[in-house]
Amino acid sequence: MIGLPVTSDASVIPLTVTHLLEHLFCPRFSYFEYALRIPERQEKRPLVMKGREVHEERRRTNPTYLRKKLGVLGRDFDVPLASARLGVRGSVDEVFTLADGSLAPFDYKFAEAPRQIFLNQKMQSVLYGLLIEEVLGRPVHRGYLCFVRSKHKIVEVPHTEEDRNEVRQTLAEILDIIRDGVFPQATRYKARCLDCCYRNICIQ
């Protein structure tokens, strides 16, 4: 088990991991929801339900496999993380302590494993890695995703310096939009507009 430090008041930190995921879906999400404060009009899965599902899935994750195949020496659950320097806060499903002395975020995805890890999945893992390094003071070289609907397939996500810089740049872009009201370019993937709750007020 990791000796978790007492975090500062996370409520004063402006961004969450959700901000990053919504921004990667379309940068204008950040503008409409957080700069103009137009609420997203669609049902969101309650966090408590996700928490219950994660708790249930942990019983199905084979600790022997984790220890032998991934070199996991310890697991911490529902780890809260907050960084005033990065301006972001969140909570990771699990943090692994690995045999090489590094730590790694472990996140459950209630989906089938894709042929290639999606950008938002990779960036979320890298962001958790940055938070873990800052809050817990240990190196992070990789993360892991567990795809529940693919028989709990576990996929390794390498964390490169290029990935870390991309996450930092994206967080800076989100803060610019929220604080300065910068109107960003829309997503290049226009199919996403069909299901967007802001499509009726967005200049596409």
Side-chain angles (χ1 to χ4, degrees), residues 172-192:
E173 291 173 2
I174 299 171
L175 286 174
D176 285 343
I177 292 170
I178 296 174
R179 291 173 174 172
D180 301 331
V182 176
F183 187 61
Q185 293 290 327
T187 178
R188 297 176 297 169
Y189 306 102
K190 297 305 179 183
R192 295 177 181 177

Side-chain angles (χ1 to χ4, degrees), residues 113-146:
R115 293 183 179 179
Q116 184 175 355
I117 296 298
F118 296 129
L119 176 64
N120 62 329
Q121 295 169 339
K122 180 176 72 171
M123 291 294 97
Q124 182 181 19
S125 180
V126 173
L127 176 54
Y128 282 141
L130 287 171
L131 288 169
I132 289 169
E133 285 191 336
E134 178 162 337
V135 175
L136 303 179
R138 301 269 290 278
V140 176
H141 307 302
R142 64 190 69 84
Y144 296 96
L145 302 178
C146 179

Side-chain angles (χ1 to χ4, degrees), residues 39-110:
E40 180 186 3
R41 298 297 184 185
Q42 67 179 29
E43 290 294 322
K44 290 187 176 181
R45 172 180 259 174
L47 291 178
V48 66
M49 292 303 297
K50 179 179 184 296
R52 289 173 182 171
E53 291 173 349
V54 168
H55 181 76
E56 176 65 23
E57 293 307 323
R58 285 173 184 152
R59 297 195 306 155
R60 305 183 187 184
T61 304
N62 188 331
T64 301
Y65 171 87
L66 297 179
R67 184 175 64 254
K68 290 184 176 180
K69 297 294 184 179
L70 305 182
V72 176
L73 301 182
R75 301 164 69 187
D76 288 85
F77 303 98
D78 300 320
V79 180
L81 302 164
S83 167
R85 185 177 63 83
L86 291 171
V88 66
R89 65 188 188 275
S91 179
V92 62
D93 292 337
E94 298 186 31
V95 174
F96 288 167
T97 299
L98 302 178
D100 64 1
S102 67
L103 302 179
F106 183 81
D107 201 31
Y108 290 92
K109 298 297 180 185
F110 293 89

